[in-house]
Amino acid sequence: MYLGLDLGTSGLRALLTDPEGKVLDSAEAGYENPHPHAGWSEQDSADWIAACETAIAKIKSRNGAALAALKGIGLSGQMHGATLIDRDGRVLRPCILWNDTRSASEAAALDAMPEMRAITGNIVFPGFTAPKLMWVAKHEPEVFAKVAKVLLPKDYLRLWLTGDTVADLSDAAGTSWLNTGKRDWSGDALARSGLSADHMPSLVEGSEVSGMLRDTLAASWGIKTPVVVAGGAADNAAAACGAGCFAEGQGFVSLGTSGVLLAAKDRYAPAPETAVHTFCHAVPARWYQMGVILAATDSLNWLARNLGQSPGDLARALPEQISGPNRAMFLPYLSGERTPHNNAALRGSFVGLDIASDPKALTAAVMEGVAYALRDNLEALKATGTELSSVLALGGGARSRYWLETIATLFDTPLQLPADGEFGAAMGAVRLAMAAAEKASLEEIMTQPEIAGTIEPRADLTSAYEAGYQRYAALAPALIADAERVGA
């Protein structure tokens, strides 16, 4: 049997499968995400361990015999978090998460250093790990002085599982310390933030063995045979493995808390000036590029919270088919933006509101605004020379046909809907565990899901939505200028 552990921002999900990938059981456990100050986002790493213990206990209580036959574990996790460990393995402070923007000035300073983009293949974004350590060095020097290892969130979970400090390349690529083309730590990049390779975990490919499950845990779970723990992957790379986005031209658009447009790549072709991320894939000799917006379904959650309704109720009030752009427009920069603006100070806005604007109109504007922002991502990917031959629609927001038809029309590209089943990050982690334990062909493991349907672009509305997108794109500079004025 195989186990995938997906360590998300709000909770951990465990997925148990048989050797063919058939799901036998799954369990979840949540945890808090405190925001002690404006722009801060932290987490207690002990909560991750407690959540994993809770999820495993649920599976053991229902499927103890299957869990006892476990052969491999794969890990997936939220990227960029800074978990700081001292020489005795103690955690020095709460983990600073991916959506924490306190280190914007440190990111800008590091990004301005010669050769940083050439080394890492990426802009140094405020959410990345390196500027977080520079912030700690400046504001918490007593903590920085004690740092022996810097671990990404899922790799702290790995430390508990195996006793080893190891990272996979897809996750390491989001730190601003990895030479993403050479797939190794860069001593030069590390030195620029006051660290060395000694502070880093060892590196493995996501489909390789990173260690073995500790005997004490195996015994408590009722397992008597050795269990390998795969390198695993960053959440989006794991989702790409779960959805079979493995070869050049295969990709997905994901409507989760954040929004992602990802394309698999057979070669390393960074273009950091576009604000597109270029990261190592979870498997050898492959990479992926992606554009990221920071608030996709989170924008709808924000609107629902302020209207006193549920996101589901707001979404269900809209028709299944689009009829043209709304007059009201929403720019979804609630927490700043990554692609293409790379601006942590940018903030959202409603434009074109009318006295008759009701919750339905606001919901439509929010969904369209997210779709326009994803179109920005598509344009950025195209600027790197990337072309998408097939696009899967994933994430909780993909349940809204209205949302998907808007995106398909703005992309002028069909969106494929996977049949019901598991194809996300937890399944990707399972597949990486299979690859590590079985040494099987990656092409045989990383297959795409069965397609249940396709959302076609609305040819009769393409020009109208193109005009809407041009209006949207023209508004962003005004918001950027406003952010600069407020910041000054």
Side-chain angles (χ1 to χ4, degrees), residues 412-424:
D412 197 21
T413 301
L415 300 181
Q416 296 178 319
L417 303 180
D420 289 342
E422 288 288 344
F423 41 79

Side-chain angles (χ1 to χ4, degrees), residues 289-314:
Q289 289 183 320
M290 66 178 182
V292 177
I293 66 171
L294 292 177
T297 60
D298 226 17
S299 293
L300 188 61
N301 294 338
W302 167 83
L303 181 67
R305 186 170 66 249
N306 282 283
L307 292 179
Q309 300 188 43
S310 74
D313 286 344
L314 291 179

Side-chain angles (χ1 to χ4, degrees), residues 45 48 81-85 91 93 95-96 149-153 156:
S45 52
W48 305 334
T83 311
L84 309 182
I85 309 295
V91 177
R93 69 171 326 284
C95 178
I96 306 175
K149 292 288 182 185
V150 182
L151 297 181
L152 295 158
Y156 182 74

Side-chain angles (χ1 to χ4, degrees), residues 319-409:
E320 286 203 350
Q321 289 191 314
I322 59 176
S323 58
N326 287 268
R327 177 68 180 86
M329 182 169 283
F330 178 71
L331 290 88
Y333 310 135
L334 298 176
S335 301
E337 193 56 290
R338 285 202 187 173
T339 312
H341 301 298
N342 182 31
N343 191 319
L346 192 58
R347 288 297 178 265
S349 179
F350 274 111
V351 177
L353 293 179
D354 184 90
I355 196 167
S357 296
D358 58 10
K360 184 176 176 180
L362 297 179
T363 303
V366 165
M367 287 189 171
E368 284 180 12
V370 169
Y372 288 136
L374 288 168
R375 167 67 184 274
D376 269 346
N377 283 207
L378 178 64
E379 295 303 317
L381 280 173
K382 286 181 177 179
T384 73
T386 294
E387 296 291 340
L388 285 165
S389 56
S390 64
V391 181
L392 295 168
L394 308 177
R399 290 191 290 268
S400 167
R401 186 180 180 90
Y402 181 95
W403 216 341
L404 294 185
E405 196 170 87
T406 304
I407 295 168
T409 302

Side-chain angles (χ1 to χ4, degrees), residues 266-283:
D266 291 342
R267 61 188 178 87
Y268 181 56
E273 68 280 359
T274 64
V276 165
H277 302 338
T278 301
F279 293 151
C280 302
H281 211 318
V283 295

